[in-house]
Amino acid sequence: MMMQPEVSVTHNDTQATLDNMLHETRSFPPSPQFAAQANAQPELGESAATDRLAFWATQARTHLTWKTPFTQTLDWSQAPVARWFADGTLNAAYNAVDRHVLAGNGDRVALHFEGEPGDTATYTYNDLQRETSRTANALAALGVTSGDRVIIYMPLIPEAVIAMLACARLGAIHSVVFGGFSAEALRSRILDADAAIVITADGSYRRGSATALKPAVDEALNMDNCPVRHVLVVRRTGQDIAWTQHRDVWWHDALADADTFHEPAWVDAEHPLFILYTSGTTGKPKGILHTTGGYLTQAAFTHHHVFDLKADSDVYWCTADVGWVTGHSYVVYGPLINGATQVIYEGTPDTPHQGRWWEIIDKYNVTILYTAPTAIRTFMKWGEHIPQQYNLDSLRVLGSVGESINPEAWMWYRRVIGKDTAPIVDTWWQTETGAIMISPLPGITATKPGSAQTPLPGIVADVVTDFGEPVAPGGGGYLVLSEPWPSMLRGIWGDHQRFVDTYWSRFTGRYFAGDGAKRDDDGDIWLMGRVDDVMNISGHRLSTMEIESALVSHPKVAEAAVVGATDDTTGQAVVAFVILREEFAAAAANPETLDALHADLRGHVAHEIGPIAKPRDILVVPELPKTRSGKIMRRLLRDVAEHRIVGDATTLADTSVMDLITAKLSTPASR
Ligand code: PRX
């Protein structure tokens, strides 16, 4: 069943702010110098408009090396499952690494690794070829073969990138689970993917100390009929860890005798490359499936044009972790396929001081920076005097991803970090789309603060009404993608029906992204946030139901409802409304026990999902607002969470519930 949006698409902003945004008059055309040297030239859009499929076939041939050239571009006969370049064969790791070595660029730096404690490592393309080959041989020796699922649960260290590429060399399907997710979250992904191997590390460095990772793997695997045969462990921190004989294998031991030559597995273009789990509208995360040829084509094409990458002179830094799709497409596959030199950083932006990122940019002369609005807002809060202590003159393109960037943050990013010259690309896309879909093109587009603006060449996107009609300029509706694109998801792992229901049922024949959007008078697209029960916390997706399930699994909680409330830094924050079981209800009356209860519930959510899911606020309430059919009216709770006057409550089964909640909340002990 498709979830019908219960909220207005504009819930995050007041109408006045929206109107201002849609009448944005600031416009920043590219400088003639930038335009003249840009990878993206106007002919790009023209050729895509003339023949979209021929355009994508050209991109696939330009950006990738094929073992067997393809002759078919798109097979849409099994819609909504697309087949792109289906009769071609290739290997992702060969494209990302080996071919650069063969082209004589083996000495070029692929990765500048910066560890949080200040340790560094440099990997050239030669190094990556040797290490991915050894790792592929080591994985093969542990029994991994083409099509097997391998879970990667690691900090952002070079071995995480190498592990992904080693899987790709073998034709094994990697599924990276963000290292901040809990043992519970890890276990459910291992089971859903039926994974044979987990690759992890003993721990990592975060906020100045070593934190453990391996214990979560041990906890996750503590179950009957565990499918995992081996755990491959990178020694990162050297901390003591528990060891399960025969199952656990040190990475350095497994690689010690591994051959440095590995022949990549040549796979069909539609061979699965990875599964990445993301939150949907139900409690169960969806395993988004991506395949090889189309995904790599669009990752490389977009990375080349949207970031204007010049492989022999740029130093590129995408701050995402490989646990998210941004890390897949814009740390691993896009940049490496394009032969880029990039920076990866293990730690947090404020360790050991709040200028760490700017220090890294100056140290490596980073030219292209790709990050998230939540980071930019955090830096704004810390004050511009911090970046001003650094040079930052090397920067020439700035990217943003994960949520809409508010015009104020956009202007700050441009002025303070980009010195009023570097173009900003606000890139809209999703785990499901695999690669950037809507974004300005530097050198072509006159940019506008706050808007992702236009679909890229070869992409057909629209904003439509409830009835699927395109909205008029100034109008709002739902974002849809009207034509298949190469890096589109090929399904949800093990659940074809959910794939059809979630994305393809709302508007027949078109992909429903789950985002609200508006078109301004120039035809530019403005993203307005999710229209379903998915929240966006610091650019990361979390489902309200996932957190509700976590809360009700706590012995003291009878019922829970979760909403995403606007937050100045994180975009949205989790606010939970809970009804306690009767025997614990007295705790809510006493401020001291209430504090302990809040800590307990927050800790429980962190244990069930991960620290990013911890509610910012927990409100103990006597009732929850429900419709006569029993559906929680989150719209009303969001009003409470955002301190607004509660909206129309007439469809509630019991209209006095909201009075009860607001009366209860005015007593200090309930919050
Ligand atoms: O709501 C949109 C928001 O993030 C969602 C996708 O989340 P995820 O799959 O985790 O991927 C995040 C990184 C690609 C979208 O449905 N989103 C992402 N980028 C933007 C955005 N919203 C507005 N503007 C963006 N640039």
Side-chain angles (χ1 to χ4, degrees):
M1 252 286 292
M2 185 61 238
M3 302 291 297
Q4 292 298 325
E6 132 200 326
V7 297
S8 116
V9 297
T10 61
H11 72 259
N12 273 340
D13 302 86
T14 63
Q15 194 58 46
T17 327
L18 267 177
D19 289 346
N20 285 341
M21 284 159 68
L22 291 175
H23 296 111
E24 177 63 64
T25 51
R26 289 170 292 193
S27 168
F28 300 92
S31 71
Q33 296 87 325
F34 196 107
Q37 63 79 58
N39 290 348
Q41 294 294 325
E43 302 82 73
L44 195 70
E46 289 157 20
S47 72
T50 310
D51 186 341
R52 215 175 59 81
L53 293 184
F55 166 84
W56 281 122
T58 302
Q59 302 315 321
R61 294 186 182 109
T62 307
H63 294 283
L64 299 179
T65 303
W66 295 79
K67 180 74 170 172
T68 320
F70 60 88
T71 61
Q72 306 160 3
T73 300
L74 170 67
D75 173 3
W76 192 227
S77 62
Q78 311 289 315
V81 181
R83 291 169 59 77
W84 283 87
F85 319 121
D87 60 344
T89 66
L90 75 170
N91 180 276
Y94 176 88
N95 272 276
V97 180
D98 300 47
R99 65 177 184 150
H100 303 310
V101 173
L102 289 169
N105 293 321
D107 289 333
R108 183 185 294 163
V109 172
L111 301 177
H112 286 294
F113 168 67
E114 183 84 12
E116 197 191 74
D119 58 322
T120 59
T122 303
Y123 286 75
T124 62
Y125 279 91
N126 279 331
D127 296 333
L128 273 191
Q129 187 186 36
R130 187 186 61 246
E131 294 309 309
T132 56
S133 298
R134 291 170 76 211
T135 310
N137 283 322
L139 288 173
L142 291 173
V144 177
T145 59
S146 182
D148 283 353
R149 273 79 59 207
V150 176
I151 297 276
I152 298 176
Y153 183 66
M154 289 174 93
L156 186 50
I157 55 177
E159 287 85 349
V161 178
I162 292 166
M164 291 165 75
L165 293 171
C167 290
R169 280 196 97 85
L170 292 165
I173 307 168
H174 58 69
S175 185
V176 185
V177 178
F178 174 55
F181 277 129
S182 69
E184 276 302 321
L186 176 62
R187 177 189 294 150
S188 69
R189 286 154 175 79
I190 290 169
L191 286 174
D192 191 78
D194 191 23
I197 303 269
V198 175
I199 309 180
T200 189
D202 51 355
S204 68
Y205 293 99
R206 204 166 168 75
R207 297 224 141 79
S209 52
T211 59
L213 207 54
K214 170 79 164 37
V217 177
D218 293 332
E219 187 184 334
L221 299 187
N222 185 10
M223 60 174 141
D224 294 337
N225 303 322
C226 177
V228 173
R229 295 190 304 266
H230 288 294
V231 179
L232 191 58
V233 189
V234 174
R235 183 177 277 150
R236 167 71 184 131
T237 59
Q239 62 203 124
D240 282 341
I241 51 172
W243 202 253
T244 303
Q245 286 301 333
H246 309 299
R247 186 197 71 184
D248 297 350
V249 183
W250 281 113
W251 171 283
H252 53 262
D253 286 342
L255 264 67
D257 300 323
D259 203 303
T260 55
F261 173 80
H262 179 267
E263 172 72 15
W266 303 107
V267 299
D268 292 345
E270 284 300 336
H271 186 79
L273 180 63
F274 66 86
I275 303 167
L276 185 59
Y277 286 85
T278 187
S279 295
T281 49
T282 70
K284 188 173 184 280
K286 303 178 282 201
I288 303 300
L289 175 68
H290 282 288
T291 58
T292 309
Y295 169 79
L296 296 179
T297 297
Q298 203 174 324
F301 161 78
T302 51
H303 183 259
H304 178 79
H305 287 101
V306 174
F307 300 111
D308 193 48
L309 180 93
K310 310 287 192 291
D312 47 11
S313 55
D314 277 315
V315 179
Y316 164 87
W317 184 18
C318 165
T319 62
D321 189 278
V322 290
W324 310 107
V325 74
T326 309
H328 283 61
S329 305
Y330 299 107
V331 175
V332 181
Y333 293 109
L336 295 179
I337 284 179
N338 290 338
T341 294
Q342 63 176 322
V343 172
I344 57 172
Y345 170 54
E346 177 188 28
T348 55
D350 54 355
T351 308
H353 56 80
Q354 294 177 336
R356 184 72 188 266
W357 277 23
W358 319 121
E359 188 178 77
I360 292 174
I361 287 171
D362 278 0
K363 175 174 173 184
Y364 295 103
N365 287 315
V366 171
T367 56
I368 304 166
L369 176 68
Y370 190 28
T371 192
T374 185
I376 297 160
R377 289 191 297 263
T378 304
F379 296 132
M380 286 171 76
K381 220 163 51 183
W382 290 347
E384 62 185 77
H385 63 282
I386 297 175
Q388 275 163 357
Q389 291 159 26
Y390 299 85
N391 185 307
L392 307 186
D393 283 346
S394 54
L395 287 172
R396 64 177 201 92
V397 178
L398 302 176
S400 173
V401 63
E403 59 174 307
S404 296
I405 173 164
N406 43 311
E408 198 194 346
W410 195 101
M411 291 302 294
W412 189 93
Y413 197 23
R414 178 179 163 86
R415 180 175 58 81
V416 180
I417 308 304
K419 309 280 176 69
D420 280 321
T421 55
I424 295 181
V425 286
D426 173 5
T427 61
W428 178 90
W429 59 295
Q430 309 176 297
T431 307
E432 292 88 339
T433 69
I436 298 169
M437 304 292 282
I438 304 176
S439 168
L441 279 172
I444 296 185
T445 317
T447 54
K448 222 182 236 185
S451 169
Q453 298 187 287
T454 40
L456 290 180
I459 300 301
V460 186
D462 213 340
V463 182
V464 299
T465 63
D466 264 323
F467 306 104
E469 304 288 340
V471 301
Y478 305 93
L479 183 72
V480 295
L481 302 167
S482 311
E483 296 289 346
W485 62 101
S487 62
M488 65 199 296
L489 76 166
R490 299 302 197 261
I492 294 177
W493 185 254
D495 200 344
H496 179 74
Q497 198 53 46
R498 191 174 178 197
F499 167 63
V500 174
D501 292 347
T502 309
Y503 305 107
W504 302 96
S505 306
R506 182 77 175 81
F507 301 104
T508 314
R510 284 183 285 186
Y511 172 90
F512 171 53
D515 278 16
K518 291 211 165 196
R519 277 240 196 236
D520 67 15
D521 293 337
D522 302 328
D524 283 330
I525 296 176
W526 295 72
L527 278 310
M528 310 310 304
R530 301 288 306 189
V531 292
D532 52 15
D533 291 329
V534 172
M535 295 170 290
N536 189 326
I537 315 291
S538 298
H540 299 313
R541 267 159 78 166
L542 286 170
S543 108
T544 52
M545 274 182 230
E546 211 176 340
I547 302 178
E548 286 166 7
S549 312
L551 283 166
V552 293
S553 73
H554 189 283
K556 292 185 183 162
V557 176
E559 261 194 273
V562 163
V563 297
T566 307
D567 184 279
D568 284 348
T569 307
T570 56
Q572 282 188 304
V574 179
V575 176
F577 294 79
V578 296
I579 304 178
L580 295 179
R581 283 180 192 277
E582 205 145 324
E583 57 272 38
F584 301 106
N590 175 338
E592 251 165 50
T593 43
L594 188 68
D595 278 352
L597 177 82
H598 284 170
D600 188 11
L601 294 183
R602 285 162 54 83
H604 182 72
V605 172
H607 180 262
E608 293 294 301
I609 304 172
I612 47 166
K614 281 200 277 195
R616 182 191 67 188
D617 300 325
I618 297 180
L619 304 143
V620 177
V621 292
E623 286 295 342
L624 289 171
K626 289 185 188 154
T627 60
R628 271 174 275 273
S629 62
K631 194 166 160 27
I632 293 172
M633 288 194 73
R634 292 198 179 76
R635 173 172 59 82
L636 301 177
L637 294 176
R638 204 172 293 116
D639 287 342
V640 174
E642 294 178 344
H643 314 290
R644 273 193 303 270
I645 294 172
V646 173
D648 181 9
T650 47
T651 53
L652 288 180
D654 173 358
T655 49
S656 65
V657 166
M658 288 317 292
D659 298 338
L660 261 178
I661 293 177
T662 33
K664 180 79 198 306
L665 295 182
S666 51
T667 60
S670 61
R671 209 172 158 137

